[in-house]
Amino acid sequence: MGPMWVGPMHDAEFVAGMRGDAAARGWSEPDRLLGSFLEEAEAEAKGALLFYHLGEVQRALAKRGLRQPPLAALLPLLRGAGFGAAQAHSETKS
């Protein structure tokens, strides 16, 4: 049996508080990572669930003769279309 949860996996308010505390202490690396966590929490609040590995997305697009835009261009496009989207902190290609 795998993991089971019934609510959000991220708490944006809590992460924002931790990020503020890290910044106040001058901790740049934790601030960067917590910024990533915060983006994920905000994306989850808009319906994003875990992540898609972009290699899988690229293969599906290639079958249709399409090319995947770079992640830096893809995320704003998804957000602009009303989707929750953020780069996963644990997977650089997702």
Side-chain angles (χ1 to χ4, degrees):
M1 178 176 266
M4 187 169 133
W5 63 90
V6 294
M9 291 181 63
H10 300 91
D11 182 338
E13 185 178 332
F14 179 74
V15 174
M18 288 177 57
R19 186 177 189 203
D21 189 47
R25 295 169 187 251
W27 298 344
S28 60
E29 184 63 22
D31 180 60
R32 184 197 61 76
L33 183 59
L34 290 167
S36 231
F37 289 172
L38 186 56
E39 285 181 15
E40 289 179 42
E42 291 168 347
E44 180 188 334
K46 292 186 174 187
L49 204 199
L50 300 178
F51 62 86
Y52 291 100
H53 194 279
L54 294 181
E56 295 173 29
V57 175
Q58 176 57 41
R59 283 189 289 282
L61 290 172
K63 288 179 184 178
R64 293 165 179 80
L66 302 170
R67 290 177 38 154
Q68 178 177 297
L71 185 59
L74 183 60
L75 290 175
L77 292 171
L78 289 169
R79 291 180 192 129
F83 294 99
Q87 184 171 357
H89 74 278
S90 60
E91 290 283 335
T92 58
K93 294 184 179 180
S94 61

